[in-house]
Amino acid sequence: MDVAPDIDAVAGESVVVIGGGFGGLSTACYLADAGADVTLLEKNEQLGGRASRLETDGFRFDMGPSWYLMPDVFERFFGHFGRSPDEFYELERLDPHYRVFWKDGDKVDVLPDREANRELFEEYEPGAGEAFEAYLEESERTYNIGMEHFVYEDRPRLRDYVDKDVLRYSWGLSLLGKMQGHVEDYFDHPKLQQLMQYTLVFLGGSPYNTPALYNLMSHVDYNMGVYYPEGGIGAVVDGIVKLGDDLGVEYVTDAEVTGIEGRRGAFAVDTADGERYLSDLVVSDADYAHTEQELLPPRKRQYTEAYWESRTYAPSAFLLYLGVEGDVPNLEHHTLVLPTAWDGHFEQIFDDPAWPDDPAYYLCVPSETDDTVAPEGHSNLFALVPVAPGLEDTPELREEYRDLVLDDIAENTGTELRDRIVVEETFSVDDFADRYNSYQGSALGLAHTLRQTSLLRPSHESDAVDGLYFTGSTTTPGIGVPMCLISGQITAETVSKTA
C-alpha cells in the first residue's frame, strides 16, 4: 500500500512541520511531493531529531539510532518518489550482525548465515535448532501480515478492526500475551530467550510488557539482516533531507517553536527568535506531550497532564561517547553485554526506577566498519545503558555511573578503555528532555505495551484543533526509524483525507 492517490488534495496548501526527526522529514517529503508548500522548523542546529551527530577532534558519532534494520521500508519510502536508497548512501551488511558477551564469560556471534545461527541454538539446547526454524517461520509470517495490513494501513478506530478481512489476516497471530511467555513456548534456555528478545529494546519495552506480536522483530534480525549505511545513520538523514530539498521543502534550523495559534487555513506558529510562520495546516513531529502541554492553550489540548503521567514510557539512556587511542579488537561494530539474568535491569527501568547496578548495555564501534568516523590510529565507540525515564541526573551521578560502565566493559569484554580516552562526552536523561523536549527524558517515547499499541496510541489528527496533525514515534506505528518513516506516510494520508 502506498500513499493514497488523492493525496494531491493538499496541493497548493501551506504546511508548517514542527520538528526534523524522521517522522517530520518523511511527512514533509510526502506533502511536498503532493504539491503542498512545506516549511520545516527544527529547534536544534541540525536536522535528524534524535539522529543527531556529534563531531569533535576528528571523531563523528551517531548520537542516537545506530542500527539500520528493515531495509525494505527504506526502499519503499524512496521508491514512492521514484528514487532508491543507493542514490543517497551505500549499505554494507555486517558480519557478524552483532556480538553478545554474557557476564558469566560466555560469548557468541550472530551471523548473516541462518544455518550457522540454527547450529548455534542447537549447541545450547537439544532441539532448539528446529525450534529456531519454527520461530522464524512464524516471525516472518507475522512480519508480512503485520506490515501490510496493520502497519502501513492505519486503523485509528475500533470499528476498523471489526472487519472480516482483518479477522482473516490476524487469524493465528499472537495478538495477546507477552513476549516472555511466547518465547518460552519455543526455548527453555534463558540465553536463547534473550537472543530472541534483545530487540525489544528498540521498541522501548521489556519481555514482560511487550505484546507477543513483536516476535516479528526476529525476522527483521535473523532473516533480513543488519546493515551499516556508509557515513552512519546521519548519512540516511542527509539523504532524506536532500530528497526533501529536491521536492521543494524549506528547512529552517535553530527555530524553536514556542506556540501554535489558529486553526485550519489560519495558523500562526511562533518561534523563540520572534519569527511567525503562517500556514493553512500544521504537523508536529515534536514530542507529542510537549506540543499539547506547552505549545497549545488548555482548551485546545486533547489529553490532560494526568493522561501523560499515566503512560508507560520507553527507557531513557545513559550514553558515553568515547574516542580512544588504538584498536578495540574484542568488540564488533554492534556488541551487547548482558547479565545472564536481566530481570533486575528491567525492574529498575519499569518497576522500581533506579540507576541499574548490574546493567545490560550496548556498545557501538562504527570504526570497525567505517574509517572516516575516527582519526587514523583511533577507535570510535559509544556505550548505551537503558535507564528509567525521569531519573535524577546530576554530574556526580554521571561520573559515578561512567566509572561503573568502564569497569564493566573491561571486566566482561576484556577491553580496557580508561587510559586511552582522548574524547569523552555523556548524554542522559536531562539532555533528552532539554534537547528534544522529551517527556521525562525518555529516549524513545511511549513504550509498546499492550495498552499502548495500534489504535491505543495517540492519534495522527487532533480532535481539538482543526488542521493540526501529529507524526513520529508517539503515534502509529510507533518507535524506531523505519516506523517513523511510515508514520510520515500515514500522517500525509490523514492530512489528505481531511483536506
Side-chain angles (χ1 to χ4, degrees):
M1 176 179 171
D2 213 335
V3 170
D6 64 348
I7 195 171
D8 60 4
V10 302
E13 300 271 23
S14 57
V15 183
V16 166
V17 175
I18 302 170
F22 278 100
L25 295 175
S26 172
T27 307
C29 286
Y30 282 114
L31 293 178
D33 186 57
D37 180 10
V38 181
T39 300
L40 186 148
L41 307 178
E42 166 55 42
K43 169 182 178 286
N44 295 311
E45 77 288 351
Q46 56 181 293
L47 297 166
R50 286 170 172 79
S52 294
R53 280 176 285 196
L54 171 64
E55 299 191 42
T56 179
D57 296 336
F59 294 91
R60 186 176 69 249
F61 301 91
D62 278 326
M63 294 180 67
S66 58
W67 292 65
Y68 190 99
L69 301 168
M70 302 171 69
D72 58 320
V73 173
F74 296 88
E75 291 165 3
R76 188 163 177 165
F77 170 77
F78 283 105
H80 172 79
F81 306 99
R83 312 292 287 272
S84 64
D86 60 16
E87 294 180 51
F88 301 97
Y89 52 86
E90 297 295 326
L91 289 178
E92 178 177 346
R93 187 166 186 174
L94 298 182
D95 186 4
H97 284 169
Y98 49 92
R99 174 168 290 171
V100 179
F101 289 94
W102 279 286
K103 294 188 180 183
D104 63 0
D106 197 7
K107 179 184 75 173
V108 300
D109 286 347
V110 174
L111 306 173
D113 181 330
R114 181 160 167 165
E115 182 58 33
N117 294 327
R118 173 190 170 120
E119 292 173 3
L120 170 68
F121 273 62
E122 188 68 27
E123 289 175 10
Y124 278 85
E125 180 182 317
E130 184 176 346
F132 173 79
E133 292 291 349
Y135 191 96
L136 290 191
E137 287 178 11
E138 179 183 8
S139 175
E140 182 174 8
R141 176 175 177 269
T142 302
Y143 183 87
N144 291 334
I145 293 174
M147 290 295 289
E148 200 63 33
H149 301 292
F150 297 99
V151 173
Y152 279 102
E153 187 171 346
D154 194 34
R155 300 179 187 276
R157 300 159 301 185
L158 182 60
R159 67 173 180 265
D160 295 327
Y161 289 83
V162 185
D163 179 277
K164 64 180 182 180
D165 287 335
V166 173
L167 296 175
R168 175 166 58 88
Y169 295 136
S170 60
W171 180 256
L173 297 185
S174 300
L175 297 178
L176 302 175
K178 305 293 175 57
M179 276 295 299
Q180 182 62 31
H182 180 75
V183 172
E184 286 174 349
D185 288 341
Y186 289 83
F187 309 102
D188 293 326
H189 201 293
K191 289 181 179 177
L192 299 184
Q193 293 177 13
Q194 286 184 347
L195 288 178
M196 285 304 190
Q197 295 186 105
Y198 84 91
T199 51
L200 300 184
V201 174
F202 299 138
L203 301 172
S206 83
Y208 311 102
N209 67 12
T210 302
L213 179 68
Y214 290 103
N215 70 75
L216 60 85
M217 291 300 294
S218 291
H219 173 64
V220 171
D221 182 2
Y222 289 95
N223 292 335
M224 302 182 76
V226 181
Y227 295 83
Y228 175 74
E230 184 178 338
I233 295 296
V236 182
V237 173
D238 290 343
I240 297 173
V241 170
K242 176 62 168 61
L243 172 64
D245 189 59
D246 293 345
L247 294 169
V249 177
E250 178 185 357
Y251 300 106
V252 185
T253 55
D254 293 305
E256 180 179 2
V257 172
T258 56
I260 303 169
E261 299 177 11
R263 55 182 174 76
R264 181 183 299 273
F267 277 106
V269 178
D270 295 321
T271 59
D273 59 5
E275 292 291 327
R276 168 165 280 198
Y277 295 83
L278 305 180
S279 66
D280 298 313
L281 305 168
V282 172
V283 177
S284 180
D285 183 42
D287 182 85
Y288 207 124
H290 171 77
T291 302
E292 287 230 321
Q293 298 297 311
E294 304 297 332
L295 304 185
L296 293 171
R299 69 184 185 281
K300 293 189 175 183
R301 298 170 186 168
Q302 302 172 93
Y303 304 102
T304 64
E305 178 62 24
Y307 168 86
W308 296 110
E309 290 177 352
S310 70
R311 300 299 89 186
T312 299
Y313 290 88
S316 185
F318 173 78
L319 284 148
L320 185 60
Y321 303 100
L322 300 172
V324 302
E325 292 180 332
D327 296 327
V328 286
N330 293 344
L331 306 180
E332 289 293 342
H333 187 125
H334 296 310
T335 299
L336 303 168
V337 183
L338 306 177
T340 51
W342 60 7
D343 295 12
H345 189 158
F346 284 117
E347 288 171 1
Q348 290 181 300
I349 293 174
F350 293 103
D351 302 323
D352 188 15
W355 288 86
D357 44 30
D358 186 21
Y361 55 93
Y362 160 58
L363 302 172
C364 181
V365 192
S367 53
E368 289 294 297
T369 305
D370 185 348
D371 60 12
T372 70
V373 300
E376 185 176 356
H378 293 74
S379 296
N380 167 320
L381 70 147
F382 70 76
L384 184 158
V385 185
V387 301
L391 286 182
E392 182 183 11
D393 179 12
T394 66
E396 293 76 18
L397 283 168
R398 290 196 192 194
E399 184 66 21
E400 180 181 340
Y401 212 70
R402 174 253 194 201
D403 289 339
L404 182 152
V405 170
L406 290 177
D407 288 345
D408 203 278
I409 293 170
E411 178 180 353
N412 292 296
T413 74
T415 304
E416 179 58 64
L417 301 171
R418 194 181 299 272
D419 296 333
R420 298 192 280 149
I421 297 171
V422 297
V423 164
E424 179 175 347
E425 298 283 348
T426 62
F427 197 93
S428 198
V429 180
D430 287 353
D431 298 307
F432 282 102
D434 292 342
R435 182 170 176 81
Y436 306 122
N437 292 319
S438 176
Y439 193 83
Q440 295 187 1
S442 168
L444 300 169
L446 292 183
H448 281 274
T449 65
L450 193 58
R451 296 182 179 182
Q452 295 178 176
T453 293
S454 190
L455 79 163
L456 300 179
R457 295 179 81 78
S459 172
H460 286 272
E461 181 182 7
S462 171
D463 62 12
V465 181
D466 185 24
L468 174 63
Y469 301 86
F470 296 87
T471 191
S473 64
T474 301
T475 62
T476 57
I479 289 171
V481 173
M483 297 298 103
C484 287
L485 284 180
I486 297 169
S487 176
Q489 171 179 328
I490 293 171
T491 302
E493 291 175 344
T494 304
V495 172
S496 176
K497 289 173 184 175
T498 57

